[in-house]
Structures are given as structure tokens and as C-alpha cells.
Amino acid sequence: MKNGIYSLLKAKFLISDDALKNWKFIVFLVILGMMAIANNHQYDAKNYRITELNNQVKELRSEFVDRRSELMKLKMESTVAKKMEVREIFPSEVPPVKIIVEKKETKKSFWDKLKIWQ
């Protein structure tokens, strides 16, 4: 037992005659570990980016709601009337009247009149 631990601490398995097999396995484990670390870093970076974009979406959505409510206030008749009073344009006291334009009948040719009789 003491000899086995001593040989492990001295790393004799790396310099023995069949050490090439052990080195291949160690290199494989190192590459696998590096790939796992790189994958974890990419995962963390994507999570940070997603969180950042979600925060931007929330900010933009709240800004949109603010702008929309501001626009609604500006479109109100009372707000427009106040702004037009400065230019001495006042709202009409007479209600609007709908104007209906009737189509004028076009002159029919002689041949069109004949078609009616048929």
C-alpha cells in the first residue's frame, strides 16, 4: 500500500514503459475539461446578454407607454383648443353640417337610349 501511494506521488505512471496510453487519457481529460469550461463561459455570457436585453425591453416598453399617454393628452380637444387660442383660432360654436354631393347623371348617347327600349 505504501509503495503504491509512493509511486503515485512520484508519478511513475507517467514515465513507465506504457506511459503513452496514460498520457493520451490525460490529454483527453484536459481537452474535455477545457471544452466544459468554454461551454460554461458561453452559457454565462448568453445569460448576461439575455438579462440585459430583457431590461432594455422593459425600459422601452415603459417609455412607449409614457409617450402614448402623452400623445393621448396632446390629441385631446381641450389641449388643442388651448394651443390654438394663442394663435387666435377658436373652436366653432356652430356644429358641423354634412354636405352630400349627388352624382350628376351623365348624358346618354342615342345608342344607350335604344338599349333601354329593348
Side-chain angles (χ1 to χ4, degrees):
M1 175 92 171
K2 185 178 181 184
N3 196 16
I5 294 174
Y6 182 71
S7 68
L8 182 66
L9 290 176
K10 285 279 195 167
K12 288 188 178 184
F13 65 94
L14 295 177
I15 55 173
S16 64
D17 292 337
D18 60 343
L20 183 63
K21 179 173 58 173
N22 295 335
W23 275 106
K24 286 180 184 178
F25 185 70
I26 290 172
V27 169
F28 172 72
L29 288 179
V30 168
I31 290 174
L32 198 62
M34 290 174 62
M35 288 174 54
I37 291 170
N39 189 27
N40 195 18
H41 282 293
Q42 283 183 335
Y43 175 77
D44 287 342
K46 285 182 182 179
N47 273 344
Y48 288 133
R49 181 73 176 142
I50 288 171
T51 304
E52 182 181 308
L53 289 174
N54 281 335
N55 290 338
Q56 281 182 353
V57 165
K58 288 177 185 175
E59 288 176 18
L60 290 173
R61 187 172 287 135
S62 66
E63 183 180 345
F64 166 73
V65 170
D66 289 343
R67 300 286 181 190
R68 185 173 57 186
S69 63
E70 185 179 326
L71 177 65
M72 294 298 245
K73 288 178 187 175
L74 289 174
K75 285 172 38 175
M76 289 175 60
E77 185 179 353
S78 59
T79 308
V80 174
K82 285 179 186 175
K83 292 197 181 224
M84 289 296 113
E85 283 178 3
V86 176
R87 298 180 182 176
E88 296 182 2
I89 299 174
F90 302 102
S92 176
E93 294 177 10
V94 179
V97 177
K98 186 173 183 179
I99 301 172
I100 301 173
V101 179
E102 294 182 17
K103 286 187 176 180
K104 191 175 181 182
E105 195 173 317
T106 58
K107 271 190 162 180
K108 294 185 179 179
S109 68
F110 175 74
W111 301 109
D112 290 333
K113 290 178 184 176
L114 280 178
K115 287 180 185 176
I116 294 173
W117 288 99
Q118 290 178 356

